[in-house]
Amino acid sequence: MVEAPQTEEGWFALHDFRSIDWDAWREAPERERRRAIEEGEAFLRDRERVADADEGDSGLFSVVGHKADLLFVHFRPSLDHLSSIERRFEDTAMARFTERTTSYVSVTEVSGYVSDEYFEDGPEEIDEGLRRYIEGKLTPEIPDDEYVCFYPMSKRRGEEYNWYDLDFEDRAELMAGHGEVGKEYAGKIKQVIASSVGLDDHEWGVTLFGADPTDIKDIVYEMRFDPASSRYGEFGDFYIGRRFPPADLGAYLAGETVPAGEADGEDAHAGHAHGEGNHHGDDGHGGRGEGRDRAGAGGGSAHGDHPHGEEAASGEGDHPHGEEATGGEEATGEGDDGVSDEAIRGELADLDIYAGKPHGEDVYATVLYSEADVDELFDEVEGLRGNFDHYGTHVKTAVYEGRHTDRAAVVSIWDTASAAETAAGFLSELPGIVARAGEESGFGTMGMFYTVKPDYREEFGDTFDEVGEILAEMDGHVETDLMSNVEDENDMFIASQWAAKEDAMAFFGSDEFRETVEWGREVLADRPRHVFLA
């Protein structure tokens, strides 16, 4: 008998497609419509808050075309939770104006195609980055304000091509090749693959998220030419839509464009029970410089679990381990100690310290550290960055070399949180990755970007050494290093790690820091940016 890959299951998923009875809606009295909107908003808002379970996620989408008008997507720990959600909606006044056109039930999973070590050694024994990547697959988060595409698929069981007759090694090789196609969409497409074997009519449900619907079209189109799809893929109906907040339900029913605008955070995308730890970032200075003429390769697939390609899958089972991206200016996440990024920025502002919120920009950053040779690391990053630069959401990706430590930092800045999150998964496969910002300390990393006037670069480094001596004596200080962009030595990134928020704030409020900032006004090419990264 052909070997079946092992699987690990996570959250159950319900894709609930609804059509609106527009005739009944138009004929209903105003008070009934108002009640329907209020109860519909309340139901959907509570689902996004995950008021019905300890963890999970939900999202509301408009659907374009005749097959449905609305799509509710729910991820929950059990089928019983999903069953409860279905019945609760039927109790709302909104339900009488809708009819379910179809639905899809599945469960998120990872398989032996992703990592042999995960199943052989257990989740506690594998690399932290790989474990985090797998957890993200099993407990996915729905991106905010993104287009969505959903379709079911199965693997063919025909006379000539039968997926289930292939050896494991042959299937793994096909999955690896399929994943290579998805590399080109790093930062553009996020996907959730959920198994529906024994749960629904097809074998998997595929949900793609992207800021541009043409990216969704392009990746599906290119995948069709890969043997894993052309020979072995069978697909059901496709649905396309756009996420909008529950507060816009009335606007949607009135025929207005949704999302209607920046909604109240209370209604729009309330904190997800499983993902409160988004981290703030900022765009630094410099970018892709001309200092090195290098080319490299690296990365992984933005479009792969098992049925539809691995994220940089290989036949040997060595696959990328994605890091959680740092959040952006719109996020109000909390660190591991419950300290919100917004509170940190507010306290920095009270100290008259610029907190890294550039005017008119909403950017998202991820920072990873590597102990690999910096030249080798740069070559790999350059290869990935060549792909990243194809996307309008990419702001900057750069390698910074440490002054006093043996490790380097890879900083990647994006316009959207989902793009930064996807990029983090690719970057975490870089050689020698040991941690992301904040993992080494109880509080996290205060990241500070500087562009120094060339004539003052060495003096700036000497001053940093003097400040470093002061830091070494301060309570709660873990480590601080001055890191220089390998393509632009005047572009510097200070990564300062602290055990507690109070310790970090004590430094930023000290006379020594204020004196350094005052001196810096003479030597910096532009305003420094202090960024709470973790």
Side-chain angles (χ1 to χ4, degrees), residues 301-357:
S301 167
H303 196 67
D305 207 84
H306 27 275
H308 222 51
E310 294 297 328
E311 296 207 17
S314 72
E316 293 72 35
D318 295 325
H319 305 292
H321 9 289
E323 298 290 342
E324 290 185 3
T326 56
E329 305 306 336
E330 295 301 319
T332 57
E334 295 182 354
D336 293 338
D337 61 353
V339 180
S340 73
D341 299 342
E342 185 177 0
I344 296 294
R345 294 180 183 276
E347 292 192 38
L348 289 173
D350 291 341
L351 294 172
D352 196 27
I353 298 171
Y354 181 51
K357 189 170 183 177

Coordinates of all heavy atoms in Angstrom, one line a residue, residues 301-357:
S301 N 7.4 29.2 -1.2 CA 6.2 29.4 -2.0 C 5.2 30.2 -1.1 O 5.0 29.9 0.0 CB 5.6 28.0 -2.3 OG 4.3 28.2 -2.8
A302 N 4.6 31.1 -1.8 CA 3.5 31.8 -1.1 C 2.2 31.0 -1.3 O 1.1 31.5 -0.8 CB 3.3 33.2 -1.6
H303 N 2.3 29.9 -1.9 CA 1.0 29.2 -2.3 C 1.2 27.7 -2.0 O 1.0 26.9 -2.9 CB 0.8 29.4 -3.8 CG -0.6 29.1 -4.2 ND1 -1.7 29.8 -3.8 CD2 -1.1 28.2 -5.0 CE1 -2.8 29.3 -4.3 NE2 -2.5 28.3 -5.1
G304 N 1.5 27.3 -0.8 CA 1.7 25.9 -0.7 C 1.5 25.3 0.7 O 2.2 25.7 1.6
D305 N 0.6 24.4 0.8 CA 0.6 23.5 2.0 C 0.8 22.2 1.3 O 1.8 21.9 0.7 CB -0.7 23.6 2.8 CG -0.4 23.2 4.2 OD1 0.0 24.1 5.0 OD2 -0.6 22.1 4.6
H306 N -0.2 21.3 1.4 CA 0.1 20.0 0.7 C -0.7 19.9 -0.6 O 0.0 19.5 -1.6 CB -0.3 18.8 1.6 CG -1.3 19.2 2.6 ND1 -1.0 19.8 3.8 CD2 -2.6 19.1 2.6 CE1 -2.1 20.1 4.4 NE2 -3.1 19.6 3.8
P307 N -2.0 20.2 -0.8 CA -2.6 20.0 -2.0 C -2.2 21.0 -3.1 O -2.3 20.7 -4.3 CB -4.1 20.2 -1.7 CG -4.1 21.1 -0.6 CD -2.9 20.8 0.2
H308 N -1.7 22.1 -2.7 CA -1.4 23.2 -3.7 C -0.1 23.8 -3.6 O 0.1 25.0 -3.8 CB -2.5 24.3 -3.5 CG -3.1 24.8 -4.7 ND1 -3.5 24.0 -5.7 CD2 -3.2 26.1 -5.2 CE1 -4.0 24.7 -6.7 NE2 -3.8 26.0 -6.4
G309 N 0.9 23.0 -3.2 CA 2.3 23.5 -3.2 C 2.8 23.8 -1.8 O 2.1 24.3 -1.0
E310 N 4.0 23.5 -1.6 CA 4.6 23.7 -0.3 C 5.3 25.1 -0.3 O 5.7 25.6 -1.3 CB 5.7 22.7 0.1 CG 5.2 21.3 0.3 CD 4.2 21.2 1.4 OE1 4.4 22.0 2.4 OE2 3.3 20.4 1.4
E311 N 5.4 25.7 0.9 CA 6.2 27.0 1.0 C 7.6 26.6 0.9 O 8.2 26.2 1.9 CB 5.8 27.7 2.3 CG 4.4 28.1 2.3 CD 4.2 29.3 3.1 OE1 5.2 30.0 3.4 OE2 3.0 29.6 3.5
A312 N 8.2 26.7 -0.3 CA 9.6 26.3 -0.5 C 9.8 24.8 -0.1 O 10.8 24.5 0.5 CB 10.6 27.2 0.3
A313 N 8.9 24.0 -0.5 CA 9.0 22.6 -0.1 C 10.1 21.9 -0.9 O 10.4 22.3 -2.0 CB 7.7 21.9 -0.4
S314 N 10.7 20.9 -0.2 CA 11.7 20.1 -0.9 C 11.4 18.7 -0.6 O 10.8 18.3 0.4 CB 13.1 20.5 -0.4 OG 13.3 20.0 0.9
G315 N 11.9 17.8 -1.4 CA 11.6 16.4 -1.3 C 12.2 15.9 0.0 O 11.8 14.8 0.5
E316 N 13.2 16.5 0.5 CA 13.9 16.0 1.8 C 13.1 16.5 3.0 O 13.5 16.1 4.1 CB 15.3 16.6 1.9 CG 16.2 16.0 0.8 CD 15.9 16.6 -0.6 OE1 15.6 17.7 -0.6 OE2 16.1 15.8 -1.5
G317 N 12.1 17.3 2.8 CA 11.3 17.7 4.0 C 11.8 18.9 4.7 O 11.4 19.2 5.8
D318 N 12.8 19.6 4.2 CA 13.3 20.8 4.8 C 12.5 22.0 4.3 O 12.7 22.4 3.2 CB 14.8 21.0 4.5 CG 15.6 19.8 5.1 OD1 15.2 19.4 6.2 OD2 16.6 19.4 4.5
H319 N 11.7 22.6 5.1 CA 10.8 23.6 4.7 C 10.9 24.8 5.5 O 11.4 24.8 6.7 CB 9.3 23.1 4.6 CG 9.2 21.8 3.9 ND1 9.3 21.8 2.5 CD2 9.0 20.5 4.2 CE1 9.2 20.6 2.1 NE2 9.0 19.8 3.1
P320 N 10.5 26.0 5.0 CA 10.7 27.2 5.7 C 9.8 27.2 7.0 O 8.8 26.6 7.1 CB 10.2 28.3 4.8 CG 9.3 27.6 3.9 CD 9.8 26.2 3.7
H321 N 10.3 28.0 8.0 CA 9.6 28.2 9.2 C 9.2 29.6 9.3 O 10.1 30.4 9.7 CB 10.3 27.6 10.4 CG 11.7 27.3 10.1 ND1 12.1 26.2 9.4 CD2 12.9 27.9 10.5 CE1 13.4 26.1 9.3 NE2 13.9 27.1 9.9
G322 N 8.0 30.0 9.1 CA 7.6 31.4 9.0 C 7.6 32.0 10.4 O 7.2 31.5 11.4
E323 N 8.0 33.3 10.4 CA 7.9 34.1 11.6 C 6.7 35.0 11.5 O 6.2 35.4 10.5 CB 9.2 35.0 11.7 CG 10.5 34.3 11.8 CD 10.6 33.5 13.1 OE1 9.9 33.9 14.1 OE2 11.4 32.6 13.2
E324 N 6.1 35.4 12.7 CA 5.0 36.3 12.7 C 5.6 37.7 12.3 O 6.6 38.1 12.9 CB 4.4 36.4 14.1 CG 3.6 35.1 14.4 CD 2.9 35.3 15.7 OE1 3.0 36.4 16.3 OE2 2.3 34.3 16.2
A325 N 4.9 38.3 11.4 CA 5.4 39.6 11.0 C 5.1 40.7 12.1 O 4.2 40.5 12.9 CB 4.7 40.1 9.7
T326 N 5.9 41.7 12.1 CA 5.6 42.8 13.0 C 4.5 43.6 12.5 O 4.4 43.8 11.3 CB 6.9 43.7 13.2 OG1 7.3 44.1 11.9 CG2 8.0 42.9 13.8
G327 N 3.6 44.1 13.3 CA 2.5 44.9 12.9 C 2.8 46.3 12.5 O 3.9 46.7 12.6
G328 N 1.8 47.0 11.9 CA 2.1 48.3 11.4 C 1.4 49.4 12.2 O 1.0 49.2 13.3
E329 N 1.3 50.5 11.6 CA 0.8 51.7 12.3 C -0.7 51.6 12.7 O -1.1 52.2 13.7 CB 1.0 53.0 11.4 CG 2.4 53.1 10.9 CD 3.4 53.2 12.0 OE1 3.0 53.5 13.1 OE2 4.5 52.9 11.7
E330 N -1.5 50.8 12.0 CA -2.9 50.7 12.3 C -3.1 49.6 13.4 O -4.1 49.6 14.0 CB -3.7 50.3 11.1 CG -3.7 51.3 10.0 CD -4.2 52.6 10.5 OE1 -5.2 52.6 11.3 OE2 -3.7 53.7 10.2
A331 N -2.1 48.8 13.7 CA -2.2 47.8 14.7 C -2.1 48.3 16.1 O -1.4 49.3 16.3 CB -1.2 46.7 14.5
T332 N -2.7 47.7 17.0 CA -2.6 48.0 18.4 C -2.4 46.7 19.2 O -3.0 46.5 20.2 CB -3.8 48.7 18.9 OG1 -5.0 47.9 18.7 CG2 -4.0 50.1 18.3
G333 N -1.4 46.0 18.7 CA -1.1 44.7 19.4 C -0.4 44.8 20.7 O 0.0 45.9 21.1
E334 N -0.2 43.7 21.3 CA 0.5 43.7 22.6 C 1.6 42.8 22.6 O 1.6 41.8 21.9 CB -0.5 43.3 23.7 CG -1.6 44.3 23.9 CD -2.5 43.9 25.1 OE1 -2.3 42.8 25.6 OE2 -3.4 44.6 25.5
G335 N 2.7 43.1 23.3 CA 3.8 42.2 23.4 C 3.5 41.1 24.4 O 2.4 41.0 24.9
D336 N 4.5 40.2 24.6 CA 4.3 39.1 25.5 C 3.9 39.5 26.9 O 3.3 38.7 27.6 CB 5.6 38.2 25.5 CG 5.8 37.6 24.2 OD1 4.8 37.4 23.4 OD2 7.0 37.2 23.9
D337 N 4.3 40.7 27.3 CA 4.0 41.1 28.7 C 2.7 41.9 28.8 O 2.4 42.5 29.8 CB 5.2 41.9 29.3 CG 5.5 43.2 28.5 OD1 4.9 43.3 27.4 OD2 6.3 44.0 28.9
G338 N 2.0 42.0 27.7 CA 0.7 42.7 27.7 C 0.8 44.2 27.4 O -0.2 44.9 27.5
V339 N 2.0 44.7 27.1 CA 2.2 46.1 26.9 C 1.8 46.4 25.4 O 2.4 45.8 24.5 CB 3.6 46.5 27.1 CG1 3.8 48.0 26.9 CG2 4.0 46.1 28.6
S340 N 0.9 47.3 25.2 CA 0.5 47.6 23.8 C 1.5 48.5 23.2 O 2.1 49.4 23.8 CB -0.9 48.3 23.8 OG -0.8 49.6 24.3
D341 N 1.6 48.3 21.8 CA 2.5 49.2 21.1 C 2.1 50.6 21.1 O 2.9 51.5 21.2 CB 2.5 48.7 19.6 CG 3.0 47.3 19.5 OD1 3.7 46.8 20.4 OD2 2.8 46.6 18.5
E342 N 0.8 50.9 21.1 CA 0.3 52.2 21.1 C 0.7 52.9 22.4 O 1.1 54.1 22.4 CB -1.2 52.2 21.0 CG -1.8 53.6 20.9 CD -3.3 53.5 20.7 OE1 -3.9 52.4 20.6 OE2 -4.0 54.6 20.6
A343 N 0.7 52.2 23.5 CA 1.1 52.8 24.8 C 2.5 53.1 24.8 O 3.0 54.2 25.3 CB 0.8 51.8 25.9
I344 N 3.4 52.2 24.2 CA 4.8 52.5 24.1 C 5.1 53.8 23.3 O 5.8 54.6 23.7 CB 5.5 51.3 23.5 CG1 5.4 50.1 24.3 CG2 7.0 51.7 23.2 CD1 6.1 50.2 25.7
R345 N 4.4 53.9 22.2 CA 4.6 55.1 21.3 C 4.2 56.3 22.1 O 4.8 57.4 22.0 CB 3.9 54.9 20.0 CG 4.4 53.8 19.1 CD 3.7 53.7 17.8 NE 4.2 52.5 17.1 CZ 5.2 52.6 16.2 NH1 5.9 53.8 16.1 NH2 5.6 51.6 15.6
G346 N 3.1 56.2 22.8 CA 2.6 57.4 23.6 C 3.5 57.8 24.6 O 3.8 59.0 24.8
E347 N 4.2 56.9 25.3 CA 5.1 57.2 26.4 C 6.4 57.8 25.8 O 7.0 58.7 26.3 CB 5.5 56.0 27.2 CG 4.3 55.5 28.1 CD 4.7 54.5 29.1 OE1 5.8 54.6 29.6 OE2 3.9 53.5 29.3
L348 N 6.8 57.3 24.6 CA 7.9 57.9 23.9 C 7.6 59.3 23.5 O 8.5 60.2 23.6 CB 8.3 57.1 22.7 CG 9.0 55.7 23.0 CD1 9.1 55.0 21.7 CD2 10.3 55.9 23.6
A349 N 6.4 59.6 23.0 CA 6.0 60.9 22.6 C 6.0 61.8 23.8 O 6.4 63.0 23.7 CB 4.6 60.9 22.0
D350 N 5.5 61.3 25.0 CA 5.6 62.1 26.2 C 7.0 62.5 26.6 O 7.2 63.6 27.2 CB 4.9 61.4 27.4 CG 3.4 61.2 27.2 OD1 2.8 62.0 26.4 OD2 2.8 60.3 27.8
L351 N 8.0 61.7 26.2 CA 9.4 62.0 26.5 C 10.0 62.9 25.4 O 11.2 63.1 25.3 CB 10.2 60.8 26.6 CG 9.8 59.9 27.8 CD1 10.6 58.5 27.7 CD2 10.2 60.6 29.1
D352 N 9.1 63.4 24.4 CA 9.5 64.2 23.3 C 10.5 63.4 22.4 O 11.4 63.9 21.8 CB 10.2 65.5 23.7 CG 10.3 66.5 22.6 OD1 9.5 66.4 21.7 OD2 11.2 67.3 22.6
I353 N 10.2 62.1 22.3 CA 11.0 61.2 21.4 C 10.1 60.7 20.2 O 9.0 60.2 20.5 CB 11.5 60.0 22.2 CG1 12.4 60.4 23.3 CG2 12.2 59.0 21.3 CD1 12.8 59.3 24.3
Y354 N 10.6 60.9 19.0 CA 9.9 60.5 17.9 C 9.7 59.0 17.9 O 10.7 58.3 18.0 CB 10.6 61.0 16.6 CG 9.9 60.6 15.3 CD1 8.6 60.9 15.1 CD2 10.6 59.9 14.3 CE1 8.0 60.6 13.9 CE2 10.0 59.6 13.1 CZ 8.7 59.9 12.9 OH 8.1 59.6 11.7
A355 N 8.5 58.5 17.8 CA 8.2 57.1 18.0 C 8.1 56.3 16.7 O 7.6 55.2 16.7 CB 6.9 56.9 18.8
G356 N 8.6 56.9 15.6 CA 8.7 56.1 14.4 C 7.4 55.9 13.6 O 7.2 55.0 12.9
K357 N 6.5 56.9 13.7 CA 5.3 56.9 12.9 C 5.4 57.9 11.8 O 5.0 59.1 12.0 CB 4.1 57.1 13.8 CG 2.7 56.9 13.1 CD 1.6 56.9 14.1 CE 0.3 56.6 13.4 NZ -0.9 56.6 14.3

